[in-house]
Amino acid sequence: MIILYILLAIVVLLLMIMIHETGHYLVGKLLKFKIEEYSIGFGKPIFQKTLKSGEVFSLRWIPLGGFCAFKGEDEDEEEENNVSEEEKKQYFNSYAPWKRLLVLVSGALFNFVSGIIFTFVLLLSVGSGICQVTDIVAQNGNETKLMKGDIILEVEGDEPTFINGGIVKLMSEKDVGEDIVLKIDRNGIIMDVVVQKYQEYQKDENGEIVKDSDGNPIVAGKIVGITTEYVKYGFGDALLKCVPYTFQMAWECLVVLGELVTGEIGIDSVGGPITTVSTIATSTQANMKNLLLLFPLIAVNLAVFNLLPIPALDGARAVFVLIEWIFRKPVPRDLEGKIHTVGLFALFALVILIDLLHIFLF
């Protein structure tokens, strides 16, 4: 059964790649760039079709990326000088800098727009992380403070979302006996209530508390004593909320990257394509609704990552175009090409290393 979830995860990853490359392709076509090949995957082609225009569409064996190849995109100055002026006009670098910038950022832009659409679907079908109380099993006084149907809007002043871990994560910062201030909506009336965690003990089939070898009760967990379900948004609310929610995801992605650079979080917090596929497969196996959360998260992460000024990524290519636009002279093409080549190999090596660490160590 896990094989089906892995295949589903690969399909999800390929969909994100396809959205990205379609952004490059459509904007390139709109601006009349000469496109040589549109490919999903790397390696040998599984399927390939050539149109009358000469454009090649292909699906390749290794589902870890894709590309939209523009004519002359990676040619150096010497190669460009060996072609006719008419042919050179079709080369990627012969187009105005603003056009090239639009083409370069369009992949990430399409990922981000798709993230907004996926977020809209998430809010409409699952919610944002705000929960409603469905049952109360508390035995420490919380049962007198909360009622079934209460909607928990905030925990200690923070709105619970899938991005910050929701009410479980926000409450985890408090220990047994500490006050937890919840802002709730009770039949349209907004109020604050103060609850506390208590210790839940393991029990046997007879309902008796299980004790360890020293005779002490075995603690099963620290709980508030409620069960909840996510609150879905209506169409209008989901439409209004989806854009800021997606931007919040993008900001959190940047925060994580910043913490990774400063060493506040470890490399085990990120992963390459194999780790991504594994995470998708595991999450969807646990609950198919998790897929609805992963769609916007992956889309937004791809958008942010591709715009980083890392050699071989769209962000770095855009930086070189900006330099040319500002100084009216390009960085030598062969130098730029070498930088992107080194960057590409370094990037591949890094993601492979991270995936291997996840497999064997983390």
Side-chain angles (χ1 to χ4, degrees):
M1 193 66 179
I2 185 64
I3 299 298
L4 293 176
Y5 288 105
I6 291 173
L7 289 174
L8 175 61
I10 291 172
V11 169
V12 171
L13 191 59
L14 287 175
L15 174 63
M16 299 301 169
I17 294 167
M18 186 176 73
I19 290 170
H20 183 88
E21 300 306 332
T22 299
H24 290 310
Y25 179 83
L26 291 178
V27 174
K29 291 291 285 185
L30 182 66
L31 297 175
K32 303 191 184 305
F33 280 74
K34 179 70 174 177
I35 299 171
E36 294 186 325
E37 184 175 355
Y38 173 101
S39 175
I40 301 300
F42 296 127
K44 283 190 174 183
I46 304 171
F47 166 82
Q48 200 166 62
K49 182 176 178 60
T50 304
L51 304 183
K52 290 181 180 180
S53 63
E55 293 176 7
V56 177
F57 286 81
S58 55
L59 180 64
R60 297 173 182 265
W61 276 108
I62 306 174
L64 301 179
F67 59 88
C68 183
F70 293 87
K71 187 176 179 66
E73 185 177 6
D74 295 317
E75 303 290 341
D76 59 31
E77 292 175 7
E78 185 177 342
E79 289 169 318
E80 286 186 19
N81 291 332
N82 291 330
V83 299
S84 66
E85 288 298 322
E86 192 62 34
E87 187 176 359
K88 193 185 295 186
K89 288 180 181 178
Q90 296 181 329
Y91 276 21
F92 183 81
N93 291 321
S94 296
Y95 285 77
W98 69 268
K99 289 185 178 182
R100 281 179 277 154
L101 279 174
L102 285 177
V103 169
L104 289 169
V105 302
S106 58
L109 178 62
F110 268 55
N111 280 137
F112 192 80
V113 171
S114 72
I116 293 173
I117 295 169
F118 294 142
T119 298
F120 173 73
V121 174
L122 172 70
L123 298 178
L124 203 61
S125 55
V126 179
S128 67
I130 290 175
C131 293
Q132 184 174 40
V133 177
T134 56
D135 197 13
I136 302 173
V137 294
Q139 303 168 10
N140 67 333
N142 289 343
E143 67 273 19
T144 65
K145 300 173 183 177
L146 291 168
M147 296 175 58
K148 290 182 183 179
D150 286 349
I151 298 174
I152 301 174
L153 302 175
E154 291 181 3
V155 178
E156 290 290 314
D158 293 322
E159 178 184 328
T161 69
F162 295 125
I163 303 169
N164 61 23
I167 61 171
V168 173
K169 177 67 167 62
L170 294 175
M171 288 183 179
S172 69
E173 298 170 3
K174 295 288 186 175
D175 208 342
V176 171
E178 293 183 343
D179 287 347
I180 305 172
V181 181
L182 305 178
K183 177 174 284 187
I184 65 169
D185 179 342
R186 181 174 293 167
N187 299 320
I189 300 173
I190 309 299
M191 63 178 73
D192 287 342
V193 297
V194 179
V195 297
Q196 295 179 337
K197 289 182 184 177
Y198 64 96
Q199 290 183 336
E200 183 185 36
Y201 298 101
Q202 286 186 21
K203 295 182 180 179
D204 58 23
E205 60 272 11
N206 299 319
E208 298 293 326
I209 294 176
V210 179
K211 297 182 179 180
D212 61 20
S213 57
D214 296 325
N216 299 314
I218 299 176
V219 177
K222 302 172 182 179
I223 63 172
V224 174
I226 59 175
T227 58
T228 61
E229 64 180 11
Y230 294 125
V231 177
K232 300 176 184 178
Y233 282 73
F235 184 89
D237 288 335
L239 198 61
L240 290 173
K241 183 76 173 178
C242 65
V243 174
Y245 199 84
T246 307
F247 271 100
Q248 188 181 356
M249 284 186 185
W251 174 251
E252 288 299 322
C253 179
L254 288 171
V255 169
V256 169
L257 287 170
E259 290 175 341
L260 188 65
V261 170
T262 58
E264 292 182 53
I265 61 173
I267 199 169
D268 57 319
S269 302
V270 296
I274 295 173
T275 305
T276 302
V277 168
S278 175
T279 301
I280 297 171
T282 304
S283 299
T284 51
Q285 189 177 19
N287 189 336
M288 282 299 292
K289 282 186 177 180
N290 289 338
L291 192 59
L292 293 173
L293 172 59
L294 289 172
F295 265 103
L297 278 175
I298 295 171
V300 171
N301 273 269
L302 272 176
V304 171
F305 184 72
N306 269 281
L307 289 179
L308 295 177
I310 298 174
L313 296 182
D314 295 332
R317 292 181 180 273
V319 169
F320 279 102
V321 174
L322 279 171
I323 291 172
E324 178 184 344
W325 198 1
I326 293 169
F327 295 100
R328 300 186 180 277
K329 184 179 180 181
V331 174
R333 303 293 184 204
D334 57 342
L335 175 60
E336 180 184 349
K338 288 175 183 176
I339 291 172
H340 290 314
T341 300
V342 172
L344 183 62
F345 280 109
L347 196 58
F348 274 132
L350 179 61
V351 296
I352 291 170
L353 175 62
I354 290 173
D355 277 334
L356 288 174
L357 289 174
H358 273 278
I359 293 170
F360 295 110
L361 291 179
F362 302 148

